[in-house]
Amino acid sequence: MVSLLCNPLATADQLASSSTQADGIPADLEASLRWAGSELIQSAGILLRLPQKTVATAIVLFQRFYLLSSMRSCAIIDACHAAIFLSSKLTEHPAKPRDIINVTTYLLSAPLPSPISPVAGEESTPPEKYYVTEQEYYNKRTRLLNIETEILRACGFQTHLSLPYTLCINYIQSLSVLSAEVVKKSFGYLTDALLSPSLLYLTHQPNSLAVAAVYLGARECEVKLPAAWWDVFDCEREELGFLVVCMKGVSEFVESETKLWKGRKPGIPWELEDLDMHLERRRVLDNELEI
């Protein structure tokens, strides 16, 4: 019997052979698009008032889908819509397709603090720019439902996901260091890990993620923990060290991606047509550099 605290992880072959890169998308652009989609889901979840469990599940479903499918198979924006919709049903916090589509359209049109939102200009953005007409809504809803089916097929209808947040609290209590500050810091690292380019939630079990988050949270709060305490929670020292480095590096990665895309014209290629145009521009620029 498979433990409910374990998740199906990505294999070495799946990580080494990217369908997206095989379709002609460079590795750096693939990482940027994965980050942008995860950021959009996180920002949309806040505006939709969804619990973090639903948001985290949606991000992991989004990342699982594009681990198994090419980013040229469907638009990033449609995959985000479908992941949020499917996650909201799996976690019993249903969100309507219309609400999801309206929120993401607003995030990508109005100047907001979110890293994937446009920069505020001298003139205010007219509301008409982020208004979704009935025809646009029905088209996007149809694509949402189609991609939801594709996500389920790609994952083999395996939608089980155990998140490390509950384990994190249990570990902190077991170590007798329970405090609001330690929990806050630890949860922050678990949420940051969702944006990691190393796909930590797809390559490591939740108990290891929880151990790494507790380690970092306790260290920042200057709380002393017992020697080799991670062995009790079935996490090897080498794995802990790798996770600590990856979690600490997420902020730098997000900062670099935000600097790269924030205010850029044209911006993140959310639609397939935009992606094709972006790749063509890169190809032209590369040819000019070679000349």
Side-chain angles (χ1 to χ4, degrees):
M1 180 178 177
V2 178
S3 172
L4 293 177
L5 296 179
C6 294
N7 294 325
L9 301 180
T11 64
D13 291 339
Q14 289 173 336
L15 294 171
S17 57
S18 169
S19 300
T20 298
Q21 294 179 36
D23 261 353
I25 297 178
D28 62 322
L29 181 58
E30 179 186 15
S32 292
L33 293 177
R34 188 182 291 115
W35 161 78
S38 301
E39 282 281 10
L40 178 60
I41 292 172
Q42 183 74 56
S43 300
I46 294 173
L47 293 185
L48 290 168
R49 298 182 179 180
L50 297 174
Q52 182 59 25
K53 177 182 179 181
T54 303
V55 175
T57 301
I59 293 176
V60 175
L61 288 173
F62 172 81
Q63 294 177 352
R64 282 181 181 176
F65 175 61
Y66 278 128
L67 178 69
L68 302 168
S69 303
S70 170
M71 289 183 174
R72 291 187 115 169
S73 63
C74 71
I76 300 296
I77 186 67
D78 294 331
C80 291
H81 291 160
I84 296 172
F85 183 62
L86 177 58
S87 173
S88 71
K89 293 189 292 184
L90 293 174
T91 57
E92 299 181 356
H93 288 87
K96 297 178 181 178
R98 184 181 292 275
D99 294 339
I100 296 171
I101 292 169
N102 284 341
V103 162
T104 56
T105 303
Y106 174 68
L107 282 168
L108 298 180
S109 303
L112 298 168
S114 176
I116 44 84
S117 296
V119 177
E122 296 180 358
E123 298 180 0
S124 60
T125 305
E128 292 81 5
K129 187 175 180 181
Y130 45 87
Y131 172 74
V132 180
T133 66
E134 283 299 308
Q135 187 59 51
E136 290 175 334
Y137 163 68
Y138 284 118
N139 291 339
K140 291 182 177 182
R141 188 187 67 172
T142 300
R143 297 203 300 267
L144 180 157
L145 297 176
N146 290 337
I147 301 304
E148 179 191 19
T149 304
E150 293 300 321
I151 292 177
L152 290 171
R153 286 177 180 172
C155 297
F157 291 85
Q158 171 58 271
T159 58
H160 168 72
L161 177 63
S162 177
L163 295 172
Y165 293 94
T166 302
L167 285 175
C168 183
I169 294 181
N170 290 339
Y171 292 173
I172 292 173
Q173 289 177 324
S174 300
L175 294 166
S176 301
V177 292
L178 182 62
S179 70
E181 193 63 24
V182 173
V183 173
K184 180 180 177 181
K185 293 286 186 181
S186 300
F187 273 29
Y189 279 109
L190 290 177
T191 302
D192 287 349
L194 290 165
L195 304 177
S196 172
S198 300
L199 303 176
L200 298 182
Y201 276 74
L202 273 59
T203 55
H204 295 270
Q205 294 294 354
N207 67 296
S208 299
L209 295 171
V211 167
V214 172
Y215 176 89
L216 288 169
R219 189 172 69 171
E220 286 199 7
C221 295
E222 298 181 352
V223 174
K224 188 175 181 180
L225 298 175
W229 60 272
W230 49 81
D231 290 334
V232 179
F233 303 116
D234 197 24
C235 180
E236 296 182 357
R237 183 173 182 175
E238 292 75 13
E239 183 180 16
L240 172 60
F242 175 79
L243 288 171
V244 166
V245 171
C246 289
M247 287 183 178
K248 290 289 289 183
V250 171
S251 58
E252 183 178 348
F253 168 73
V254 171
E255 184 179 346
S256 65
E257 290 295 327
T258 304
K259 185 178 179 180
L260 176 64
W261 293 101
K262 189 72 171 179
R264 181 173 174 177
K265 297 294 182 180
I268 298 168
W270 296 102
E271 301 286 353
L272 288 179
E273 297 80 3
D274 299 333
L275 179 58
D276 290 337
M277 292 175 61
H278 181 88
L279 291 173
E280 180 62 23
R281 282 193 299 270
R282 284 187 61 148
R283 186 186 66 80
V284 172
L285 289 173
D286 290 342
N287 290 339
E288 290 179 351
L289 291 175
E290 291 178 359
I291 296 174

